[in-house]
Amino acid sequence: MSAESIKLGLRQDRAAIVRQLREQIRRMEHDYARPPERQWIGTGLAALDERLAGGGLPTGSIVELIGSGRACGGLALATWLTARAASDGGQVVVIDSAGDFYPPAAEQLGLGADRMVLVHPRREVDALWAAEQSLRSPTVAAVLLTCLLRVEHRQSRRLQLAAEAGGGIGLLVRPIKAQARGRVSTAAVRLLVGPTRSEPGSVRWLVQVLRCRGGWPSEPVVVGLEDEACDVSVHAAAVGGADEPVLRLAGG
Amino acid sequence: MPLLSVERTSRCCGLPADKPTAVAEPVGQSQRVVSCCRLALTGGVRPGQTVAEARAVLPELAVCSHDPQADRRRLGQLAAGAMQFSPIVQPVEPGVLLLDVTGCERLFGGERRLGGLGIRYVEREGFSVRGAIAGTVGAAWALAHAGGERLTVVEPEGEVAALAGLPAWSLRIERDAVAALDRLGVATVDDLLHLPRSSLAERFGGSVLRRLDQAVGAMDEPVEPFRPAELPAVRMSLAFPTDRQEVVHAGVESLLGRLTQRLEQQGQGAAELVCTFYREQARPIVSQLWLSRPTRALGHLTSLLAEKVRGLDLSVPVSAISLHVVRAGVVPRWQGRLFESAEVSDPQKAAGLLDELSNRLGQGAVVRALPGDDHQPEHACWYEPVTGGIDGGIQRIRHDVTRRVKPALRASPSPTLCFAKDGAPKPTHSTEHWRASRQWHPTKTPKSSSPTLCFAKDGAPNEGTHASNEALADPGAPGPVAPHKGTRRIKSDVARRVKPALRSDSVARDENDHAHATAAWACHPDRLSEVRMAAGERPVRLFARPQPIDVIAGANGGGPAWFRWRGDRRRVAWSVGPERIETGWWRGRQVCRDYYVVQDQEGGRFWMFRDRENRRWYLHGCFE
């Protein structure tokens, strides 16, 4: 954008300019060779969508979810996001090194078993290979990769390239133990997921956007799902006053 | 393999191995037993009986229908597999494999070892087997059928001596002739050999004499080489043995070209391929290729086999390569839609990926989940390999053995009792059940969270009813909280509905317990509501084995108040339950569990249960 056009633009709406500039940055940051034909898939969680550039997860990219502790809900959120990413059709590949991913629960989160292929690799190398192959395939809408302790920069880059080639979304779920924060990663979106108190009949996560290409990091925010079938009112009891969302990065 | 049919059928139907089984076919108005397993035989069942007779002898007999086609196919597969021992294999129905092992024994270290390997191969495939190696087909047949041992090896020229004590029927003589001989008092082969040949021919025609001659080696009987069910097979002998990968690769590629041409002519696609690399003075290397759907795409097959060739041990030079299709099927045609990107929905592309994953990571590592007709969480989900599931005989994997993959038998569908205590046993058998039990929807607005307590009697929280020292001593613990005014009261008819459901339990020894439970539940409608909410929620991670944990629980079968997991002591914010699961008695060990969904003070969610047999607590999964 030349200086002249910016001057012209001043007369226009301020927000439009900001949007234009953001788009430019996004292009510069990403692949300028290719026109931005990517799409954004809404997460179905309004509070999270607001904080993500483009209003959702970009297709053809890697999304990293870092669980801040045990039983923090990172995998459940990733399953939900995977289901959303594949909501327009396409296969889902779940690569589960631990071997205890439970499909009935995925079904409850909207990820149907009929579209899901489960892979149980024995080694982490195989897990990464399988993820790369799956991402590269245009028939795969989303790949969920769990239980990875370390992803080197090179591997991360390979996954990113594979996702760009295939056009799907790769979701990596990693524990915070891996010192994932602060390491170099090519993921387009990095989310830190922590546990938060919720009521029976709902699922809540505390999510912080650590990184979002074309957007800004955000403060932790509570996002949640409600059980529609649940018609029983929940007995709410206030304890300890205000519930300020706090996300502990220390983990464990 | 005397029990091929019954063993194959019982595996396909998923019957447990310790259940007497028989296969039957309709004859006129009645069903007749064709063959039955060893347990049924000892129970008094005989082939030829009607099913009604057999059931009268052995009431618990499971009867499956006879499928000779499938038996033939399975025998063909076994024959193809047996080609690793000898190039000349002949399957003979109903359950015999003839192998011409002349000259093959030196590759395997002797006849006895070769026989042992062959027997082990068939047993690994899941069939009981007896074998014999002899100089003639007739002798080997007789020894395998009538000899008492698992493997008999006859020394050269020892056929007559080995056969002498065997019954006459073992020589493959017709039934009428056997009956006639029996009337004459000719019971063994020895007796038969002592009869004058001329009178034998006069009385019984040429067939008895011919069989006798074939057995003792006076008449030649060739083994008809088996061609795997007219499935295309190609073979190439290399000009000289090679240990160079690129040569082997080029050979495989040209073989594949010929193979796909043959498939094209037949209008078929390969669903399973076996590629055998023959080596001099060493055992051939057999590598199998599974495909998720029949295909004859040259490029795809080449890339899959190239992966196999890359992993090949070429320390001993390869002298010949053969490639044969073990299973074939019709290549499904697919028509693209006009307004849809062809790439995204092309099943051929999707199949390509699955084949690639499956052939590198192993058939059992790439699976699809299937709903199991069982309420026990470990059994509510089965895994089926994406490849090789076309032709019956699919091996399914249980959730708790995903890490060490081996064929697992499916439990027979049996009555299950599972109450969510709202009186409605839940339907199963489809993913609809998983879905219907609970489905999450995004909330429109994020709300700040607040903890809720599980109410016990009269709406008082758990901790209140149980005078747990630790719970009360903790200054930070929230005090008992009164229920919110808006709490919905369950109508009394719901409470009453509980009773019949609990009564329907067939397990007698729990009768008292249940009566007590019924009484306790009926008068606390608040708890019913909680249980209804919990029904069906499942954790994303389900541990293969439930982990024992320390729990401090509320009184009167209340939910957990504290628990310790991996060294951390966690205080329970709320718990929802119990969801009672009682099932699995037909597996020998009944499972009686009260499941609770538990959230700790930090917000971590867990799924734990109390075993009602030993009253201990286990963590079974977490909503990670």
Side-chain angles (χ1 to χ4, degrees):
Chain A
M1 189 183 282
S2 67
E4 199 176 325
S5 67
I6 289 178
K7 264 184 214 157
L8 278 171
L10 279 175
R11 275 180 235 137
Q12 294 172 5
D13 191 7
R14 195 183 149 84
I17 297 176
V18 173
R19 203 162 45 237
Q20 233 172 341
L21 285 170
R22 277 217 175 128
E23 181 56 41
Q24 233 176 3
I25 292 169
R26 198 175 291 148
R27 258 190 242 184
M28 277 151 66
E29 222 179 28
H30 198 52
D31 42 357
Y32 17 85
R34 222 171 58 165
E37 61 185 31
R38 66 181 61 242
Q39 296 165 353
W40 284 267
I41 292 178
T43 60
L45 305 162
L48 184 59
D49 280 347
E50 277 170 29
R51 282 156 180 83
L52 292 170
L57 302 176
T59 57
S61 66
I62 300 293
V63 176
E64 249 183 48
L65 286 99
I66 298 155
S68 70
R70 282 169 190 157
C72 62
L75 183 56
L77 178 60
T79 310
W80 169 262
L81 294 178
T82 309
R84 300 291 301 187
S87 55
D88 294 340
Q91 288 276 321
V92 170
V93 179
V94 177
I95 300 163
D96 176 30
S97 310
D100 50 12
F101 183 82
Y102 194 48
E107 185 90 32
Q108 289 171 351
L109 285 161
L111 182 57
D114 45 347
R115 280 186 303 150
M116 180 172 59
V117 174
L118 263 168
V119 180
H120 295 130
R122 287 202 178 75
R123 297 172 301 163
E124 212 146 84
V125 188
D126 288 338
L128 281 167
W129 174 83
E132 202 185 317
Q133 295 299 317
S134 312
L135 278 170
R136 210 171 278 284
S137 167
T139 58
V140 173
V143 176
L144 176 59
L145 180 61
T146 72
C147 231
L148 269 183
L149 284 177
R150 290 174 71 96
V151 181
E152 298 299 329
H153 175 71
R154 197 165 56 88
Q155 293 161 331
S156 171
R157 181 81 191 131
R158 284 183 73 107
L159 288 178
Q160 174 66 35
L161 287 174
E164 276 168 26
I169 296 182
L171 289 111
L172 266 61
V173 184
R174 302 164 66 187
I176 199 163
K177 266 188 291 184
Q179 298 282 315
R181 206 172 173 239
R183 280 183 85 92
V184 188
S185 159
T186 57
V189 177
R190 299 182 87 200
L191 304 173
L192 182 66
V193 187
T196 183
R197 277 181 259 170
S198 59
E199 292 145 8
S202 71
V203 178
R204 296 244 173 89
W205 301 285
L206 196 55
V207 183
Q208 184 180 4
V209 180
L210 293 180
R211 175 187 181 179
C212 174
R213 189 171 286 161
W216 300 97
S218 79
E219 289 300 302
V221 59
V222 176
V223 295
L225 305 175
E226 207 78 59
D227 180 9
E228 221 168 55
C230 168
D231 58 346
V232 183
S233 65
V234 172
H235 331 290
V239 174
D243 253 323
E244 200 60 36
V246 178
L247 201 49
R248 291 186 313 152
L249 291 176
Chain B
M1 294 164 279
L3 305 174
L4 180 103
S5 173
V6 64
E7 280 167 346
R8 187 201 62 79
T9 314
S10 86
R11 189 150 319 110
C12 261
C13 299
L15 295 172
D18 54 352
K19 195 170 170 65
T21 318
V23 287
E25 63 178 1
V27 176
Q29 290 287 310
S30 61
Q31 294 267 332
R32 264 179 208 286
V33 174
V34 178
S35 127
C36 57
C37 73
R38 219 162 262 140
L39 274 171
L41 272 175
T42 44
V45 181
R46 293 283 172 273
Q49 279 176 331
T50 61
V51 169
E53 282 170 353
R55 281 246 166 86
V57 180
L58 198 68
E60 67 265 31
L61 185 74
V63 180
C64 307
S65 59
H66 186 214
D67 183 357
Q69 287 262 341
D71 287 347
R72 200 170 303 142
R73 270 204 306 266
R74 191 75 184 92
L75 187 65
Q77 286 171 12
L78 287 172
M83 287 178 97
Q84 60 185 297
F85 305 111
S86 158
I88 303 171
V89 181
Q90 181 188 3
V92 182
E93 286 178 52
V96 180
L97 288 180
L98 296 176
L99 278 79
D100 186 349
V101 293
T102 316
C104 300
E105 75 282 351
R106 64 196 178 96
L107 297 180
F108 296 88
E111 283 178 348
R112 190 160 280 282
R113 277 208 56 182
L114 170 62
L117 283 171
I119 281 186
R120 212 167 311 142
Y121 161 71
V122 179
E123 281 177 344
R124 241 195 343 259
E125 294 286 313
F127 299 100
S128 35
V129 63
R130 268 197 307 216
I133 298 181
T136 64
V137 172
W141 181 298
L143 285 163
H145 280 79
E149 285 172 51
R150 191 156 150 266
L151 173 67
T152 323
V153 178
V154 181
E155 298 302 318
E157 310 301 324
E159 282 83 23
V160 177
L163 285 173
L166 297 181
W169 59 260
S170 64
L171 291 180
R172 297 177 285 169
I173 300 173
E174 285 104 25
R175 191 171 291 178
D176 298 345
V178 172
L181 284 170
D182 213 31
R183 277 198 301 278
L184 294 174
V186 178
T188 64
V189 178
D190 197 31
D191 299 340
L192 205 58
L193 283 169
H194 281 101
L195 291 178
R197 291 178 61 90
S198 55
S199 67
L200 263 181
E202 269 169 33
R203 277 173 188 270
F204 304 106
S207 70
V208 173
L209 215 51
R210 181 165 58 89
R211 289 299 190 195
L212 196 60
D213 285 347
Q214 283 176 345
V216 297
M219 190 189 270
D220 216 24
E221 184 188 6
V223 176
E224 305 249 340
F226 159 77
R227 289 199 190 83
E230 291 142 40
L231 292 169
V234 284
R235 196 190 148 94
M236 167 194 274
S237 296
L238 302 176
F240 51 89
T242 179
D243 55 358
R244 288 177 57 193
Q245 209 165 55
E246 55 271 27
V247 178
V248 177
H249 186 259
V252 166
E253 211 165 339
S254 80
L255 279 180
L256 265 176
R258 277 158 57 194
L259 193 77
T260 46
Q261 252 176 14
R262 299 266 288 276
L263 284 168
E264 185 102 44
Q265 287 160 5
Q266 297 182 359
Q268 282 186 314
E272 191 178 333
L273 274 173
V274 172
C275 186
T276 318
F277 301 95
Y278 295 95
R279 302 178 298 174
E280 282 186 345
Q281 304 290 331
R283 240 179 263 174
I285 303 174
V286 180
S287 65
Q288 264 175 308
L289 203 67
W290 298 287
L291 299 149
S292 57
R293 44 192 266 148
T295 180
R296 49 170 182 261
L298 182 59
H300 179 45
L301 290 172
T302 311
S303 72
L304 288 177
L305 264 178
E307 181 77 32
K308 299 271 177 199
V309 171
R310 227 167 287 146
L312 209 59
D313 168 30
L314 288 172
S315 53
V316 180
V318 171
S319 58
I321 308 166
S322 88
L323 198 60
H324 61 258
V325 179
V326 182
R327 275 185 307 124
V330 180
V331 177
R333 294 204 175 270
W334 172 78
Q335 185 156 18
R337 293 194 198 106
L338 184 58
F339 297 110
E340 202 174 287
S341 144
E343 282 199 322
V344 173
S345 48
D346 185 353
Q348 201 70 51
K349 281 234 163 66
L353 171 70
L354 297 182
D355 293 343
E356 208 172 338
L357 292 177
S358 186
N359 279 293
R360 166 142 168 194
L361 304 176
Q363 200 185 14
V366 185
V367 291
R368 273 185 202 284
L370 296 174
D373 37 10
D374 205 320
H375 285 284
Q376 195 177 336
E378 300 95 307
H379 300 275
C381 173
W382 289 86
Y383 299 115
E384 185 182 274
V386 288
T387 54
I390 295 160
D391 204 23
I394 313 157
Q395 293 174 344
R396 293 183 170 178
I397 305 156
R398 259 177 25 210
H399 178 79
D400 49 356
V401 290
T402 49
R403 298 298 288 163
R404 40 197 176 87
V405 174
K406 59 179 180 188
L409 287 179
R410 267 186 83 205
S412 60
S414 304
T416 317
L417 280 165
C418 166
F419 334 108
K421 289 250 170 103
D422 56 356
K426 287 174 284 175
T428 47
H429 310 287
S430 75
T431 55
E432 285 303 316
H433 159 58
W434 297 344
R435 204 173 300 146
S437 51
R438 200 182 193 113
Q439 185 95 45
W440 298 103
H441 299 272
T443 44
K444 292 285 175 285
T445 48
K447 288 185 264 182
S448 73
S449 57
S450 43
T452 316
L453 296 171
C454 172
F455 296 102
K457 272 184 191 171
D458 308 319
N462 257 342
E463 296 94 319
T465 54
H466 182 219
S468 156
N469 287 339
E470 267 183 282
L472 292 178
D474 186 30
V481 184
H484 195 267
K485 272 180 191 156
T487 304
R488 193 165 143 260
R489 295 272 160 189
I490 305 295
K491 290 191 191 89
S492 54
D493 63 309
V494 177
R496 250 179 272 127
R497 257 202 344 229
V498 176
K499 206 158 183 168
L502 290 169
R503 284 288 172 199
S504 69
D505 190 357
S506 60
V507 186
R509 65 195 156 81
D510 275 341
E511 200 63 39
N512 282 336
D513 212 0
H514 278 154
H516 177 248
T518 313
W521 283 95
C523 56
H524 300 301
D526 273 345
R527 290 186 63 159
L528 275 173
S529 67
E530 286 152 19
V531 171
R532 245 165 62 137
M533 288 197 300
E537 196 181 340
R538 292 290 178 266
V540 210
R541 276 201 188 289
L542 188 83
F543 304 140
R545 303 248 171 278
Q547 303 172 359
I549 46 166
D550 297 330
V551 170
I552 299 171
N556 297 334
W562 286 88
F563 67 96
R564 190 190 294 277
W565 184 51
R566 292 193 185 164
D568 298 343
R569 214 175 60 168
R570 287 158 191 263
R571 185 177 167 71
V572 173
W574 52 257
S575 70
V576 174
E579 178 186 359
R580 179 160 299 173
I581 292 181
E582 293 196 0
T583 182
W585 52 266
W586 61 92
R587 277 190 285 269
R589 203 174 146 265
Q590 184 172 9
V591 163
C592 302
R593 298 168 177 175
D594 279 349
Y595 275 93
Y596 290 84
V597 177
V598 171
Q599 189 173 72
D600 67 12
Q601 291 267 296
E602 285 175 22
R605 246 186 223 210
F606 301 88
W607 206 43
M608 52 182 72
F609 68 86
R610 192 211 292 261
D611 192 322
R612 282 164 36 81
E613 302 262 294
N614 61 13
R615 312 298 294 167
R616 291 197 57 186
W617 285 88
Y618 295 88
L619 185 69
H620 205 177
C622 56
F623 297 78
E624 196 174 291

